[in-house]
Short mmCIF file of all heavy atoms in Angstrom, two decimals:
data_model
loop_
_atom_site.label_atom_id
_atom_site.label_comp_id
_atom_site.label_asym_id
_atom_site.label_seq_id
_atom_site.Cartn_x
_atom_site.Cartn_y
_atom_site.Cartn_z
N TYR A 356 86.07 94.89 100.11
CA TYR A 356 86.14 96.24 100.66
C TYR A 356 87.24 97.06 99.98
O TYR A 356 87.05 98.25 99.71
CB TYR A 356 86.39 96.18 102.17
CG TYR A 356 85.18 95.73 102.97
CD1 TYR A 356 85.33 95.14 104.23
CD2 TYR A 356 83.89 95.88 102.47
CE1 TYR A 356 84.23 94.73 104.97
CE2 TYR A 356 82.79 95.46 103.20
CZ TYR A 356 82.96 94.89 104.45
OH TYR A 356 81.85 94.48 105.17
N MET A 357 88.39 96.45 99.70
CA MET A 357 89.47 97.17 99.04
C MET A 357 89.08 97.57 97.62
O MET A 357 89.41 98.66 97.14
CB MET A 357 90.75 96.33 99.03
CG MET A 357 91.37 96.11 100.40
SD MET A 357 91.82 97.67 101.24
CE MET A 357 92.03 97.10 102.93
N ASN A 358 88.35 96.69 96.94
CA ASN A 358 87.88 97.02 95.59
C ASN A 358 86.88 98.18 95.62
O ASN A 358 86.91 99.05 94.74
CB ASN A 358 87.21 95.79 94.96
CG ASN A 358 88.19 94.97 94.13
OD1 ASN A 358 89.00 95.52 93.39
ND2 ASN A 358 88.12 93.66 94.27
N LYS A 359 86.01 98.20 96.62
CA LYS A 359 85.04 99.30 96.74
C LYS A 359 85.76 100.64 96.90
O LYS A 359 85.36 101.65 96.32
CB LYS A 359 84.12 99.06 97.95
CG LYS A 359 83.01 98.06 97.68
CD LYS A 359 82.08 97.94 98.89
CE LYS A 359 80.94 96.97 98.62
NZ LYS A 359 80.03 96.85 99.79
N ILE A 360 86.82 100.64 97.70
CA ILE A 360 87.59 101.87 97.91
C ILE A 360 88.30 102.29 96.63
O ILE A 360 88.26 103.45 96.21
CB ILE A 360 88.61 101.67 99.05
CG1 ILE A 360 87.88 101.54 100.38
CG2 ILE A 360 89.61 102.82 99.11
CD1 ILE A 360 88.73 101.01 101.53
N LEU A 361 88.95 101.32 95.97
CA LEU A 361 89.71 101.62 94.76
C LEU A 361 88.81 102.15 93.65
O LEU A 361 89.21 103.02 92.87
CB LEU A 361 90.45 100.36 94.29
CG LEU A 361 91.46 100.55 93.14
CD1 LEU A 361 92.56 101.53 93.53
CD2 LEU A 361 92.05 99.21 92.74
N ASN A 362 87.59 101.63 93.56
CA ASN A 362 86.68 102.00 92.48
C ASN A 362 85.72 103.14 92.83
O ASN A 362 84.88 103.53 92.02
CB ASN A 362 85.87 100.78 92.04
CG ASN A 362 86.76 99.68 91.47
OD1 ASN A 362 87.70 99.97 90.75
ND2 ASN A 362 86.47 98.43 91.81
N SER A 363 85.85 103.68 94.03
CA SER A 363 84.94 104.75 94.46
C SER A 363 85.31 106.10 93.85
O SER A 363 86.49 106.41 93.67
CB SER A 363 84.97 104.87 95.99
OG SER A 363 84.21 105.98 96.41
N ASP A 364 84.29 106.91 93.56
CA ASP A 364 84.50 108.27 93.08
C ASP A 364 84.44 109.29 94.21
O ASP A 364 84.60 110.50 93.98
CB ASP A 364 83.42 108.63 92.04
CG ASP A 364 83.55 107.79 90.78
OD1 ASP A 364 84.69 107.47 90.40
OD2 ASP A 364 82.51 107.43 90.19
N SER A 365 84.22 108.83 95.42
CA SER A 365 84.07 109.74 96.55
C SER A 365 85.41 110.38 96.92
O SER A 365 86.44 109.70 97.00
CB SER A 365 83.54 108.97 97.77
OG SER A 365 83.60 109.79 98.93
N PRO A 366 85.41 111.70 97.15
CA PRO A 366 86.64 112.38 97.59
C PRO A 366 87.17 111.81 98.91
O PRO A 366 88.37 111.87 99.18
CB PRO A 366 86.20 113.84 97.78
CG PRO A 366 84.94 113.98 96.99
CD PRO A 366 84.28 112.64 97.02
N GLU A 367 86.27 111.26 99.73
CA GLU A 367 86.68 110.72 101.03
C GLU A 367 87.47 109.42 100.90
O GLU A 367 88.11 108.99 101.86
CB GLU A 367 85.44 110.50 101.91
CG GLU A 367 84.77 111.81 102.32
CD GLU A 367 83.54 111.58 103.18
OE1 GLU A 367 83.29 110.41 103.54
OE2 GLU A 367 82.86 112.56 103.49
N ALA A 368 87.43 108.81 99.71
CA ALA A 368 88.18 107.57 99.49
C ALA A 368 89.52 107.82 98.81
O ALA A 368 90.37 106.93 98.75
CB ALA A 368 87.36 106.60 98.65
N LYS A 369 89.73 109.05 98.34
CA LYS A 369 90.89 109.35 97.49
C LYS A 369 92.22 109.01 98.16
O LYS A 369 93.11 108.39 97.56
CB LYS A 369 90.86 110.83 97.10
CG LYS A 369 91.93 111.20 96.08
CD LYS A 369 91.81 112.66 95.68
CE LYS A 369 92.91 113.02 94.68
NZ LYS A 369 92.84 114.45 94.28
N HIS A 370 92.38 109.40 99.44
CA HIS A 370 93.67 109.18 100.09
C HIS A 370 93.92 107.72 100.46
O HIS A 370 95.03 107.36 100.88
CB HIS A 370 93.78 110.05 101.36
CG HIS A 370 92.92 109.61 102.49
ND1 HIS A 370 91.55 109.75 102.50
CD2 HIS A 370 93.23 109.02 103.68
CE1 HIS A 370 91.05 109.28 103.62
NE2 HIS A 370 92.05 108.83 104.36
N LEU A 371 92.90 106.87 100.27
CA LEU A 371 93.03 105.45 100.60
C LEU A 371 93.31 104.58 99.38
O LEU A 371 93.63 103.40 99.51
CB LEU A 371 91.75 104.96 101.27
CG LEU A 371 91.34 105.66 102.57
CD1 LEU A 371 89.92 105.27 102.94
CD2 LEU A 371 92.30 105.31 103.70
N LYS A 372 93.21 105.15 98.18
CA LYS A 372 93.25 104.36 96.94
C LYS A 372 94.60 103.67 96.71
O LYS A 372 94.66 102.50 96.33
CB LYS A 372 92.88 105.22 95.74
CG LYS A 372 91.39 105.51 95.63
CD LYS A 372 91.11 106.42 94.45
CE LYS A 372 89.61 106.66 94.30
NZ LYS A 372 88.91 105.54 93.67
N PHE A 373 95.71 104.38 96.93
CA PHE A 373 97.02 103.77 96.70
C PHE A 373 97.23 102.57 97.64
O PHE A 373 97.73 101.53 97.23
CB PHE A 373 98.14 104.79 96.91
CG PHE A 373 98.21 105.86 95.85
CD1 PHE A 373 98.25 107.20 96.21
CD2 PHE A 373 98.24 105.53 94.51
CE1 PHE A 373 98.32 108.20 95.24
CE2 PHE A 373 98.32 106.51 93.52
CZ PHE A 373 98.36 107.85 93.89
N ALA A 374 96.85 102.75 98.90
CA ALA A 374 97.00 101.67 99.88
C ALA A 374 96.08 100.49 99.55
O ALA A 374 96.48 99.33 99.68
CB ALA A 374 96.71 102.19 101.29
N ALA A 375 94.87 100.80 99.11
CA ALA A 375 93.94 99.73 98.73
C ALA A 375 94.49 98.94 97.54
O ALA A 375 94.40 97.70 97.49
CB ALA A 375 92.57 100.31 98.39
N ALA A 376 95.08 99.65 96.57
CA ALA A 376 95.68 98.98 95.40
C ALA A 376 96.83 98.08 95.83
O ALA A 376 96.99 96.96 95.33
CB ALA A 376 96.17 100.02 94.39
N TYR A 377 97.63 98.57 96.80
CA TYR A 377 98.73 97.73 97.31
C TYR A 377 98.17 96.44 97.93
O TYR A 377 98.66 95.34 97.67
CB TYR A 377 99.58 98.47 98.35
CG TYR A 377 100.50 97.52 99.07
CD1 TYR A 377 101.69 97.11 98.49
CD2 TYR A 377 100.12 96.95 100.30
CE1 TYR A 377 102.50 96.17 99.12
CE2 TYR A 377 100.93 96.01 100.93
CZ TYR A 377 102.12 95.62 100.33
OH TYR A 377 102.91 94.68 100.94
N ASN A 378 97.16 96.59 98.78
CA ASN A 378 96.58 95.43 99.47
C ASN A 378 95.96 94.43 98.49
O ASN A 378 96.06 93.21 98.68
CB ASN A 378 95.55 95.88 100.49
CG ASN A 378 96.18 96.61 101.67
OD1 ASN A 378 97.34 96.39 102.00
ND2 ASN A 378 95.43 97.49 102.30
N LEU A 379 95.32 94.95 97.44
CA LEU A 379 94.76 94.06 96.42
C LEU A 379 95.87 93.33 95.67
O LEU A 379 95.74 92.15 95.34
CB LEU A 379 93.89 94.87 95.44
CG LEU A 379 92.51 95.29 95.97
CD1 LEU A 379 91.87 96.30 95.03
CD2 LEU A 379 91.61 94.07 96.15
N GLY A 380 96.98 94.03 95.42
CA GLY A 380 98.13 93.38 94.79
C GLY A 380 98.65 92.25 95.65
O GLY A 380 98.99 91.17 95.15
N ARG A 381 98.67 92.49 96.96
CA ARG A 381 99.08 91.43 97.89
C ARG A 381 98.16 90.21 97.77
O ARG A 381 98.62 89.06 97.75
CB ARG A 381 99.07 91.96 99.33
CG ARG A 381 99.40 90.90 100.36
CD ARG A 381 99.07 91.35 101.78
NE ARG A 381 99.26 90.25 102.72
CZ ARG A 381 98.83 90.25 103.97
NH1 ARG A 381 98.16 91.28 104.44
NH2 ARG A 381 99.03 89.21 104.76
N ALA A 382 96.85 90.47 97.70
CA ALA A 382 95.88 89.37 97.61
C ALA A 382 96.12 88.53 96.34
O ALA A 382 96.10 87.30 96.39
CB ALA A 382 94.46 89.93 97.62
N TYR A 383 96.35 89.20 95.21
CA TYR A 383 96.60 88.47 93.96
C TYR A 383 97.93 87.71 94.02
O TYR A 383 98.04 86.59 93.51
CB TYR A 383 96.58 89.42 92.77
CG TYR A 383 95.18 89.69 92.26
CD1 TYR A 383 94.51 90.86 92.59
CD2 TYR A 383 94.51 88.76 91.46
CE1 TYR A 383 93.22 91.11 92.14
CE2 TYR A 383 93.23 88.99 91.01
CZ TYR A 383 92.58 90.17 91.34
OH TYR A 383 91.30 90.40 90.90
N TYR A 384 98.92 88.32 94.63
CA TYR A 384 100.23 87.67 94.74
C TYR A 384 100.14 86.41 95.59
O TYR A 384 100.73 85.37 95.28
CB TYR A 384 101.26 88.63 95.33
CG TYR A 384 102.64 88.05 95.45
CD1 TYR A 384 103.50 87.99 94.34
CD2 TYR A 384 103.10 87.52 96.66
CE1 TYR A 384 104.76 87.44 94.44
CE2 TYR A 384 104.36 86.96 96.76
CZ TYR A 384 105.19 86.93 95.66
OH TYR A 384 106.44 86.37 95.75
N GLU A 385 99.38 86.51 96.69
CA GLU A 385 99.25 85.37 97.61
C GLU A 385 98.16 84.39 97.18
O GLU A 385 98.07 83.28 97.71
CB GLU A 385 98.94 85.88 99.02
CG GLU A 385 100.10 86.68 99.62
CD GLU A 385 99.79 87.30 100.98
OE1 GLU A 385 98.59 87.44 101.30
OE2 GLU A 385 100.74 87.63 101.70
N GLY A 386 97.31 84.81 96.21
CA GLY A 386 96.19 83.95 95.81
C GLY A 386 95.22 83.73 96.94
O GLY A 386 94.69 82.63 97.14
#
């Protein structure tokens, strides 16, 4: 779900992208 938000072109996802990138970073850090 976080990847879908980060990769979306929809204007409605724009304000969520930074937070989604943070959460994905957390996932990679924690494995």
Side-chain angles (χ1 to χ4, degrees):
Y356 287 155
M357 292 301 164
N358 267 317
K359 281 184 178 180
I360 291 166
L361 189 60
N362 297 320
S363 174
D364 294 325
S365 171
E367 292 179 6
K369 187 177 179 181
H370 71 288
L371 301 168
K372 284 178 177 282
F373 290 129
Y377 168 80
N378 291 334
L379 284 169
R381 176 194 174 193
Y383 277 101
Y384 181 80
E385 294 175 340

